[in-house]
Each structure stands twice: as C-alpha cells, then as structure tokens.
Amino acid sequence: MKSFKNIFEQYDWDEVLSGIYSKTETDVVHALSKPKRDLEDFKALISPVAKPYLEQMAQMSSRITKKRFGNTIQMYAPMYLSNECQNICTYCGFSMTNKIPRRTLTDQEILKEVRFLKSKGYDHILLVTGEANRTVGVDYINNAIQLIQSEFANITIEVQPLQQQEYETLIDSGLYAVLVYQETYHKEEYKKHHPKGRKSNFDYRLETPDRLGKAGIHKIGLGALFGLEDWRADSFFTALHLHYLQKEYWKTKYSISFPRLRPHSGGLEPKVEMKDADLVQLICAFRLLDEDVELSMSTRESEVFRENIVNLGVTSISAESKTNPGGYAVAPQSLEQFEISDERSTEEVVQMLKNRGLEVVWKDWAYNWQ
C-alpha cells in the first residue's frame, strides 16, 4: 500500500538538517524572487541565513494571506472530553505515569461545556481526548459528535489515530476535520519520547493522514511539537508530508499548527529552544511555500506574540482555551494538559483582532453532514 512512509524513508534526518544549514544568502534571495516555491526554497527560508530577510518575508506573507483569505481570521475553541490515556509521553500532562485525577465527560457534562462555548459565539469546535481506546474509543467519540453536531458549523477532533473504516464512521456522523501531529519526524528520538502505548508505533502514526485521505476527510491538520528536536528539520518533514498529501488526496484541505513545548505536570525541558523570531520565520516560510494552506495559532503562545503574528499569515486562532476535561463549566480547577500562555477572554481576543483590522469569522460555512 502506497503511503507517506515510502517517501519518508527516502530521506535521512542528518542530511536534511545539513542541507538546511548549508543554504546560502543567494539561495534565500532566489527563493524570495520566485512566484512559486518548492521544498528546496523552503529549506532556504527556514535556514539561519534567512534571518536578515525576516521583515521582507513577513511583508510578503502578509500580502499573500490577505490576497487569499482577505482581512479575516477564523475563531475556534478546543473542548477536552477526557484526560484518560494509555500512553507514556515525556512531554504531556496526560501521560499514563502522571498521578493525576482522571476524568471523562458524560453526555450531560459535554452539553454543559457546549452551552458555555455557544454563549461565547463559537461555531467551530475541536474535540480533544487522551489516547485510551477502552474508555474514549470510537464509540465514545462517535457519540460525542452525534450529540453536538447540530450545534456547530463543523467539528474537528484530535484523538488517537484510527483505522480508515473508523474514520469513515465518524465522517458519516458529522466529522469535518482531524488534527494528527507526528510530534517529531526523528524516528529514534520519537521512540525516546513515546516508550509505551500505541503511540509508540511511529509508522502507524506516520500513516494516519493516509488513512484519513482514503476515508475522504474534508480537512487534515499536520504539525510537529517544537522543542523535542531541531525545529528546522521537523518543519521540513512537515512540509514534505503536506506536499505528498496534497498530491495524493487533492480534494482534501490542509492546515498546519505550530505548538511549542509548554510547561506541564512532570515537565520536559525543550531539547532545542525555538525562539519567537524562529516561529515567525517558520510561519512566514509556510505561507510563502503554500498560499492555500490554513495556518493555526493556539493559546500556547503569549498575548504579545499572538497580537504580532495575526497579520502575518495565521488564518485561525483560539481563545479562552481550557486544556482539561470540563474546564469551561464542569470542572474549571482540574489539571490541564499544558499551561495556557494567553489567558484573555474570548471578548478580549476578539477586540484585539478588530483593533488589528481583522474581521472575526465564527462561521465561514456549514458542513452539511446529512
């Protein structure tokens, strides 16, 4: 069966990293001068020698984003359904070895959370769980989607990787999009951070977007967790993955997220620090690589950073996020998956976006699941 794994295995991590760091100023200038850029250009744009061109990259990224998406930004909210998890992950507060109270929301609790989010205006929702097949498997997720599908224009999930047939079942119930982050594309380092549980299977996770594409999902979200390995190499492999999927599953839409390692219970310090300027460079590089891909920014980032990035290429943003089950209305004090940095209310973030000249979009279109 053809999958991204066949492409991925043709690349060597160290060679990719060396290729990025060997890019010259001439390569950067050439990449910026082109109307359409390829993955070699992307390497140049995320390389250290591109730093002096960051202002030019930001201006170009802003112009491209406005041309393609207008002066708009999509609002979404994550809703955590469960923190039960059967995996050991070094960087996650939900890791099985962490001694925290576990909670999985009931139907009534889910609806209580929904009422809160609807009162704030949200119409795009991201459902999140830990990876625990026995308690929050396909049946639980399918029930949650059916329970709330009439309340939201579209529903996205971030849960354990599933089989193609299971995704097809969820799509039939009203699922619109799936976020599945590889965390790191460095296979050996991946094993160190995922020593136990189904998530320890690198290849199965790597091929998840292929199963989603075959299932006919409307949108796939990709990303790496910056801090586990060198962010430049992980970003290249994310871009490589994106290009492969766009070619194979051309009817599907795609988004990229940019999570940086955040403090959590049992905390892992970043192996490689990704500074604010690095993240700006990466976001602009992705926009210069692909005019159509959606770029998303969560509340992991600070108020100041988010205010400065919303005009440079980002197309969707969350606000007032809670990363614990029932965090909005049911159990506000329970332990979070990771610490939020931007803790402003939805209303405050909306006002900030308007002050930046952006039109806030709650519902750009509705996914007719019937």
Side-chain angles (χ1 to χ4, degrees), residues 34-61:
K34 294 171 68 175
K36 189 171 178 62
R37 298 161 192 90
D38 58 25
L39 289 171
E40 283 302 312
D41 298 320
F42 183 74
K43 283 183 180 179
L45 294 175
I46 62 173
S47 70
V49 294
K51 285 292 183 190
Y53 296 87
L54 186 53
E55 180 63 31
Q56 183 180 348
M57 288 173 61
Q59 291 177 4
M60 292 174 66
S61 176

Side-chain angles (χ1 to χ4, degrees), residues 245-263:
L245 292 168
Q246 288 174 324
K247 184 177 179 181
E248 289 296 316
Y249 313 105
W250 53 271
K251 292 183 179 179
T252 301
K253 295 172 65 177
Y254 296 92
S255 67
I256 303 291
S257 296
F258 304 91
R260 285 193 282 186
L261 198 58
R262 293 283 304 156

Side-chain angles (χ1 to χ4, degrees), residues 50 89 140 268 274 350 359:
C89 301
Y140 178 88
L268 173 76
M274 185 188 209
V350 167
E359 177 187 349

Side-chain angles (χ1 to χ4, degrees), residues 299-311:
T299 54
R300 284 175 179 260
E301 299 301 331
S302 70
E303 295 182 17
V304 173
F305 183 86
R306 287 183 6 128
E307 286 189 20
N308 286 299
I309 201 65
V310 291
N311 291 109

Side-chain angles (χ1 to χ4, degrees), residues 11-25:
Y11 290 79
D12 176 80
W13 176 279
D14 291 333
E15 289 180 4
V16 166
L17 200 55
S18 176
I20 294 170
Y21 279 86
S22 65
K23 290 297 182 183
T24 66
E25 196 169 337

Side-chain angles (χ1 to χ4, degrees), residues 6 9 20 58 72 155 195 212 245 248 293 303 314 316 319 348:
N6 307 127
E9 289 177 341
I20 294 170
T72 65
I155 299 170
L212 282 163
L245 292 168
E248 289 296 316
V293 70
E303 295 182 17
V314 171
S316 66
E348 289 173 310

Side-chain angles (χ1 to χ4, degrees), residues 57-331:
M57 288 173 61
Q59 291 177 4
M60 292 174 66
S61 176
S62 179
R63 286 197 301 271
I64 292 169
T65 305
K66 287 181 180 179
K67 181 183 75 173
R68 172 62 181 82
F69 295 92
N71 286 322
T72 65
I73 196 157
Q74 177 75 55
M75 296 288 292
Y76 75 94
M79 189 169 88
Y80 280 65
L81 301 178
S82 174
N83 62 1
E84 297 188 54
C85 194
Q86 295 163 353
N87 294 321
I88 296 177
C89 301
T90 61
Y91 50 82
C92 181
F94 291 175
S95 183
M96 186 175 69
T97 51
N98 288 343
K99 304 302 180 184
I100 62 170
R102 304 289 174 168
R103 185 183 196 121
T104 297
L105 300 186
T106 65
D107 286 4
Q108 291 73 24
E109 289 172 335
I110 291 172
L111 292 173
K112 189 174 181 180
E113 294 286 284
V114 165
R115 285 194 292 273
F116 176 88
L117 292 173
K118 292 301 293 184
S119 74
K120 295 285 184 172
Y122 290 102
D123 223 343
H124 288 227
I125 192 168
L126 167 63
L127 302 180
V128 187
T129 70
E131 299 191 12
N133 288 327
R134 287 190 292 270
T135 51
V136 286
V138 177
D139 290 343
Y140 178 88
I141 298 164
N142 194 42
N143 174 71
I145 292 171
Q146 292 176 345
L147 188 67
I148 70 171
Q149 58 82 21
S150 64
E151 298 288 342
F152 295 97
N154 58 54
I155 299 170
T156 300
I157 62 171
E158 185 181 341
V159 302
Q160 69 266 30
L162 304 173
Q163 296 285 12
Q164 178 182 335
Q165 187 176 1
E166 294 173 322
Y167 284 127
E168 290 169 354
T169 297
L170 298 180
I171 291 168
D172 287 341
S173 292
L175 178 63
Y176 170 73
V178 176
L179 307 185
V180 54
Y181 305 141
Q182 190 61 28
E183 313 300 9
T184 179
Y185 287 85
H186 192 302
K187 197 166 186 176
E188 287 70 35
E189 288 297 317
Y190 183 95
K191 293 174 184 176
K192 296 177 184 177
H193 292 292
H194 308 94
K196 187 175 181 181
R198 289 186 65 182
K199 196 170 181 178
S200 63
N201 188 332
F202 178 91
D203 290 343
Y204 184 72
R205 193 169 190 90
L206 189 70
E207 295 178 317
T208 301
D210 278 285
R211 297 192 297 276
L212 282 163
K214 290 179 172 68
I217 194 69
H218 292 263
K219 186 168 76 174
I220 299 171
L222 302 175
L225 180 57
F226 300 121
L228 299 182
E229 253 304 323
D230 191 294
W231 67 266
R232 291 183 169 91
D234 263 329
S235 299
F236 170 80
F237 281 106
T238 302
L240 179 69
H241 206 165
L242 173 67
H243 270 205
Y244 160 82
L245 292 168
Q246 288 174 324
K247 184 177 179 181
E248 289 296 316
Y249 313 105
W250 53 271
K251 292 183 179 179
T252 301
K253 295 172 65 177
Y254 296 92
S255 67
I256 303 291
S257 296
F258 304 91
R260 285 193 282 186
L261 198 58
R262 293 283 304 156
H264 70 279
S265 176
L268 173 76
E269 289 298 317
K271 177 180 178 180
V272 179
E273 182 185 8
M274 185 188 209
K275 297 179 180 178
D276 286 358
D278 297 329
L279 185 49
V280 173
Q281 181 182 359
L282 178 59
I283 290 170
C284 294
F286 260 110
R287 177 56 68 222
L288 295 177
L289 175 69
D290 192 313
E291 293 191 3
D292 296 322
V293 70
E294 298 177 18
L295 303 180
S296 182
M297 180 59 57
S298 77
T299 54
R300 284 175 179 260
E301 299 301 331
S302 70
E303 295 182 17
V304 173
F305 183 86
R306 287 183 6 128
E307 286 189 20
N308 286 299
I309 201 65
V310 291
N311 291 109
L312 300 184
V314 171
T315 58
S316 66
I317 192 170
S318 58
E320 203 170 339
S321 301
K322 304 298 180 185
T323 65
N324 50 309
Y328 295 108
V330 175

